[in-house]
């Protein structure tokens, strides 16, 4: 009887000091924690947290020895969750979970949770990207930053950005100021890319230029991030704002390729003080070099989604100097490829075919996504259980259509607040491979992305089942519950 009571008391103690959590929540809080080799060494089985979530726990199976391990993670002085205690070679999953929870209870009871997470290598203190310095003129704050910081419904995105910034911002003294002001789009894009690369199980090192070095067993490449920004002068300043199909075709045929071309060729031609291009610098030399681009050239509004939802076709036309038309013959879809020599808008002409330009053989691939947006960060936060109370998040868009005769994507709509909803950073990543690359980027380097190739005059794609072409997020504010809506609108930056 005494032994039974002791076991009950022990279980009660464990339940008080730890709880199971969703994988999505654990993943968000530990985005920068895992090493690239983790994907090969263990199979994660359950995820845990203390009641205050200042401790996290993981139980996994060692795929080499076929036994089990547990790990307790705590925040270091910078605020990042890192391994603080672990044990391995445990016979069963159940035993590993009991030992994990006992360790978490012991740490909590000791009252030394903060000290438990100290690693001894921290050089900074926790950083809040939404803390505005007293010397910053509030009139200089970016309008999207102000919306993100102030609106209650954006709480999920704020939580995600705070967690990711703990890993990126301490190494970059300009990060927070630029994120809050005129560098908002670029910095949000870098946060998105870093999270996506981490989800690809890559170790990501921040560099001065290029921006990232990504490594894993057998993989090593560098990435320079850039964005398509609004034109402040020149012929491209006069934005077409297409209102019908013919105007949209012209917009995607000429204006947008020139916008993408301006951002890409500036990176292609850029040299440092020593006269070296990105691919000639020590971190990039003799390995694949990638440019990652996002389209932020025109903001969305209440009536129109952001152009990033529909401009990707202009990108691949410019990259490969080719466009396609389609027709049906005997109910079969026929796709014809047409070579493009140049793009013209308001008298300005630029050559098409970025990958055919001088020195472009040094660019192994161009990565694109239309998801480096506040809406994406809101959804990732909501899926991890950080949704704002009194708000709903609904996603609608298009996925690749498996029908070989389909000319548009397959529509979908989901409730992001559904407990079973799951989303990944990498679902909207598209990789356009350079057929002339000196150092080709291996497909497995970004396994799970959509990969595009142009071979023998034909466009070919490898698309994962869970890929998303484009989507919009509807943010809804409730009064008393989901059936009583007072306000609804699209996310200000849709992907």
């Amino acid at each position: 009887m005494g032994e039974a009571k002791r076991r009950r008391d022990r279980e009660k103690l464990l339940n008080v000091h730890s709880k199971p959590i969703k994988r999505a929540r654990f993943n968000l809080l530990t985005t920068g924690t895992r090493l690239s080799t983790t994907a090969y060494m263990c199979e994660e089985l359950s995820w845990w947290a203390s009641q205050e979530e200042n401790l996290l726990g993981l139980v996994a199976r060692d795929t080499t020895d076929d036994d089990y391990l547990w790990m307790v993670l705590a925040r270091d002085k910078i605020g990042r969750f890192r391994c603080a205690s672990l044990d391995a070679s445990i016979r069963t999953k159940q035993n590993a979970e009991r030992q994990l929870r006992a360790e978490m209870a012991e740490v909590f009871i000791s009252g030394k949770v903060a000290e438990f997470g100290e690693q001894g290598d921290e050089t900074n203190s926790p950083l809040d990207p939404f803390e505005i310095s007293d010397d910053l003129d509030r009139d200089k704050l970016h309008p999207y930053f102000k919306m993100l910081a102030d609106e209650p419904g954006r709480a999920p995105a704020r939580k995600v950005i705070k967690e990711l910034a703990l890993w990126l911002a301490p190494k970059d003294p300009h990060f927070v100021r630029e994120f809050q002001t005129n560098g908002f789009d670029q910095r949000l894009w870098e946060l998105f890319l870093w999270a996506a690369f981490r989800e690809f199980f890559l170790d990501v090192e921040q560099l001065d230029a290029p921006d990232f070095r990504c490594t894993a067993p057998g993989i090593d490449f560098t990435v320079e991030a850039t964005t398509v920004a609004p034109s402040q002068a020149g012929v491209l300043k006069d934005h077409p704002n297409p209102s019908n199909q013919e105007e949209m075709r012209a917009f995607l045929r000429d204006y947008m390729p020139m916008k993408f071309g301006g951002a890409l060729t500036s990176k292609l031609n850029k040299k440092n003080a020593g006269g070296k291009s990105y691919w000639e610098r020590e971190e990039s030399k003799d390995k694949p070099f990638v440019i990652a681009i996002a389209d932020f050239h025109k903001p969305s509004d209440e009536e129109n989604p952001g152009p990033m939802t529909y401009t990707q076709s202009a990108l691949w036309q410019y990259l490969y100097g080719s466009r396609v038309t389609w027709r049906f013959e005997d109910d079969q879809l026929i796709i014809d490829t047409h070579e493009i020599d140049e793009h013209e808008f308001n008298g300005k002409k630029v050559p098409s075919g970025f990958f055919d330009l001088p020195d472009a053989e040094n660019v192994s691939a161009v990565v694109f996504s239309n998801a480096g947006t506040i809406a994406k960060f809101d959804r990732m936060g909501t899926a991890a259980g950080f949704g704002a109370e009194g708000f709903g998040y609904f996603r609608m868009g298009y996925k690749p259509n498996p029908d070989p005769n389909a000319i548009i994507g397959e529509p979908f709509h989901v409730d992001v607040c559904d407990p079973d909803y799951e989303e990944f950073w990498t679902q909207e990543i598209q990789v356009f491979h350079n057929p002339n690359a000196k150092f080709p980027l291996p497909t497995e380097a970004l396994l799970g992305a959509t990969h595009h190739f142009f071979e023998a005059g034909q466009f070919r794609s490898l698309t994962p089942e869970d890929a998303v072409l484009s989507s919009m997020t509807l943010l809804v504010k409730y009064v008393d519950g989901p059936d009583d809506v007072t306000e609804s609108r699209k996310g200000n930056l849709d992907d």
Side-chain angles (χ1 to χ4, degrees), residues 353-366:
F354 174 78
F355 287 141
D356 294 321
L357 295 178
D359 288 331
E361 69 275 8
N362 297 291
V363 180
S364 305
V366 170

Side-chain angles (χ1 to χ4, degrees), residues 91-324:
R91 292 181 58 187
T92 68
K93 174 190 173 187
Q94 292 75 17
N95 284 343
E97 289 180 342
R98 284 196 201 95
Q99 291 181 30
L100 166 74
R101 301 180 73 187
E103 175 76 358
M104 294 174 72
E106 184 176 331
V107 173
F108 184 84
I109 292 170
S110 73
K112 299 181 178 180
V113 175
E115 295 91 331
F116 184 68
E118 293 181 5
Q119 301 284 326
D121 60 357
E122 301 96 333
T123 57
N124 293 283
S125 57
L127 180 147
D128 185 351
F130 294 96
E131 182 177 341
I132 302 172
S133 174
D134 291 337
D135 65 350
L136 178 59
D137 183 351
R138 298 308 193 263
D139 291 336
K140 294 184 178 180
L141 293 176
H142 194 283
Y144 284 150
F145 172 79
K146 290 192 288 186
M147 178 269 293
L148 178 61
D150 297 339
E151 291 190 4
R154 300 299 180 180
R158 287 196 295 274
K159 175 61 176 176
V160 174
I161 291 169
K162 285 182 179 181
E163 292 295 333
L164 301 188
L166 293 171
W167 293 90
L168 271 73
K171 294 184 179 180
D172 187 341
H174 306 293
F175 184 96
V176 172
R177 181 63 63 96
E178 292 178 359
F179 173 70
Q180 295 175 352
T181 56
N182 59 358
F184 178 86
D185 290 336
Q186 176 73 19
R187 292 308 195 176
L188 195 71
W189 176 231
E190 291 171 8
L191 283 169
F192 168 82
L193 284 173
W194 181 83
F197 292 146
R198 294 292 299 155
E199 195 173 87
F200 281 125
F201 282 100
L202 296 169
D203 296 322
V204 185
E205 178 186 359
Q206 288 175 258
L207 307 173
D208 289 332
D211 292 304
F212 303 114
R213 180 182 180 185
C214 301
T215 58
I219 295 170
D220 191 350
F221 64 97
T222 57
V223 181
E224 174 65 11
T226 189
T227 59
V228 180
S231 294
Q232 303 298 326
V235 298
L236 297 183
K237 180 182 179 181
D238 301 323
H239 196 277
N241 294 320
S243 59
N244 55 53
Q245 287 190 353
E246 182 56 38
E247 290 179 358
M248 179 62 74
R249 281 194 288 268
F251 173 74
L252 297 175
R253 183 182 62 240
D254 292 309
Y255 183 86
M256 276 312 304
M258 294 173 73
K259 290 292 292 181
F260 280 119
L264 291 170
T265 54
S266 68
K267 296 298 181 181
L268 183 68
N269 299 325
K270 186 177 180 61
K271 298 183 184 295
N272 64 8
K276 292 185 177 181
S277 301
Y278 287 110
W279 55 86
E280 296 174 317
R281 303 174 196 185
E282 194 60 36
E283 298 87 351
S284 299
K285 196 173 182 180
D286 298 330
K287 66 185 66 166
F289 166 68
V290 173
I291 300 176
I293 190 168
D295 177 16
F296 292 107
H297 86 275
K298 187 176 184 294
S300 63
D301 54 41
E302 296 295 329
E303 302 298 327
N304 302 292
M308 77 279 290
T309 60
Y310 54 82
T311 55
Q312 69 181 52
S313 64
L315 175 60
W316 72 260
Q317 291 182 60
Y318 171 69
L319 293 176
Y320 297 115
S322 182
R323 68 168 56 98
V324 299

